[in-house]
């Protein structure tokens, strides 16, 4: 059974803190994605990676960076958290970039105070 | 740029009724894929159904079926004999060949007992 896990379900951080969100998949997928989900805005792509050490900006990369040192792990980094980054963050993976099925993690609800 | 529009932010229906969720999209492509994803409360998002644009026959998965109108760029999801477990956020999504998935803003569906 396919599995995507995220390090935390809920996270509370202070403004200015450096925040790491971790995502791990056990399906040997090439591609991994980070989205943020906000009410009324749907899912918006932050960054994606199609290979180890490779990354591409999505639609809203500002204020975020990513790291993929191993195939199974994709990290989202908020260098200096701000209150407008309070959101639900979803990680997903897919076998190939054009695969129509992405497998999602349970999400991390981040609150920045 | 491709866009996906879900015109119903929220819907409620009685258990056992049939409900239709609307989705329209805009593209100049001829080869693409359309999907409906389901995100139950506090649970992971999963793929419900997919449709390849080159296929004229509407996709069906048990109680879930789509009405794909290519010329009208419409892709609605019909849920028959709705169940309490169908309560979820539903996202319509579009993907052109070799590209990333674009999600709509979602429809929150409540199945009432």
């Amino acid at each position: 059974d396919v599995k995507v896990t995220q390090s935390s379900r809920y996270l509370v951080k202070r403004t200015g803190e450096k925040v790491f969100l971790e995502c791990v998949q056990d399906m040997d997928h090439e591609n991994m994605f980070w989205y943020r989900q906000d009410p009324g805005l749907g899912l918006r792509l932050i960054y994606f990676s199609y290979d180890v050490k490779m990354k591409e900006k999505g639609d809203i990369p500002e204020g975020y960076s990513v790291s993929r040192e191993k195939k199974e792990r994709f990290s989202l980094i908020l260098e200096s958290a701000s209150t407008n980054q309070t959101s639900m963050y979803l990680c997903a993976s897919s076998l190939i970039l054009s695969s129509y099925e992405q497998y999602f993690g349970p999400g991390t609800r981040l609150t920045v105070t | 740029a491709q866009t996906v529009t879900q015109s119903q932010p929220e819907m409620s229906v009685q258990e056992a009724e049939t409900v239709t969720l609307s989705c329209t999209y805009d593209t100049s492509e001829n080869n693409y894929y359309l999907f409906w994803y389901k995100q139950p409360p506090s649970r992971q998002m999963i793929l419900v159904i997919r449709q390849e644009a080159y296929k004229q026959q509407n996709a069906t998965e048990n109680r879930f079926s789509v009405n794909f109108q290519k010329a009208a760029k419409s892709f609605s999801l019909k849920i028959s004999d709705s169940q309490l477990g169908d309560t979820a956020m539903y996202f319509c999504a579009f993907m052109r060949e070799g590209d990333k998935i674009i999600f709509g803003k979602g429809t929150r569906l409540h199945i009432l007992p």
Side-chain angles (χ1 to χ4, degrees):
Chain A
D1 200 15
V2 298
K3 200 164 185 182
V4 179
T5 57
Q6 294 183 228
S7 52
S8 306
R9 289 299 303 270
Y10 300 95
L11 206 55
V12 180
K13 295 292 182 181
R14 294 192 181 275
T15 301
E17 277 193 82
K18 190 169 186 175
V19 182
F20 292 86
L21 303 183
E22 301 280 326
C23 175
V24 178
Q25 52 95 1
D26 66 356
M27 298 164 282
D28 203 33
H29 281 175
E30 301 291 332
N31 303 281
M32 298 187 74
F33 307 82
W34 275 107
Y35 296 90
R36 67 176 279 176
Q37 181 181 3
D38 299 288
L41 297 178
L43 273 70
R44 293 179 292 167
L45 182 64
I46 305 172
Y47 267 97
F48 69 99
S49 168
Y50 52 89
D51 201 353
V52 175
K53 295 190 185 294
M54 306 302 286
K55 60 185 179 184
E56 290 282 343
K57 293 180 180 178
D59 300 317
I60 51 163
E62 296 78 19
Y64 304 94
S65 62
V66 291
S67 172
R68 192 165 181 202
E69 297 296 318
K70 294 185 178 180
K71 191 175 186 180
E72 68 271 18
R73 189 179 298 269
F74 191 36
S75 302
L76 180 69
I77 303 156
L78 287 66
E79 294 289 342
S80 178
S82 63
T83 54
N84 62 14
Q85 293 178 309
T86 290
S87 186
M88 170 70 86
Y89 290 88
L90 298 178
C91 175
S93 72
S94 68
L95 183 59
I96 56 175
L97 187 59
S98 59
S99 171
Y100 39 63
E101 182 152 15
Q102 291 189 4
Y103 295 86
F104 284 84
T108 295
R109 186 167 295 282
L110 172 66
T111 302
V112 182
T113 61
Chain B
Q2 286 77 17
T3 58
V4 178
T5 302
Q6 294 179 247
S7 59
Q8 306 147 312
E10 198 158 0
M11 298 179 70
S12 297
V13 296
Q14 294 293 137
E15 191 177 8
E17 289 184 351
T18 294
V19 58
T20 299
L21 280 59
S22 302
C23 175
T24 58
Y25 58 95
D26 188 26
T27 185
S28 57
E29 302 288 331
N30 196 43
N31 295 322
Y32 52 87
Y33 305 88
L34 295 160
F35 323 99
W36 280 98
Y37 277 83
K38 170 185 178 182
Q39 185 182 38
S42 301
R43 292 180 60 187
Q44 285 163 260
M45 185 136 63
I46 58 171
L47 179 66
V48 175
I49 199 165
R50 64 177 179 263
Q51 175 83 40
E52 291 85 351
Y54 63 86
K55 291 186 178 178
Q56 291 186 333
Q57 188 171 6
N58 289 325
T60 298
E61 289 287 343
N62 301 313
R63 296 183 296 105
F64 296 86
S65 61
V66 298
N67 183 5
F68 173 47
Q69 302 287 330
K70 192 172 184 180
K73 296 179 183 175
S74 171
F75 183 62
S76 60
L77 175 70
K78 186 172 83 171
I79 306 173
S80 303
D81 185 27
S82 57
Q83 301 174 359
L84 297 179
D86 296 332
T87 291
M89 181 73 86
Y90 288 82
F91 291 96
C92 179
F94 167 97
M95 188 187 78
R96 66 180 183 180
E97 192 76 43
D99 204 352
K100 304 176 295 297
I101 296 178
I102 299 169
F103 291 88
K105 295 182 179 180
T107 295
R108 188 175 297 279
L109 176 65
H110 303 274
I111 307 299
L112 307 173

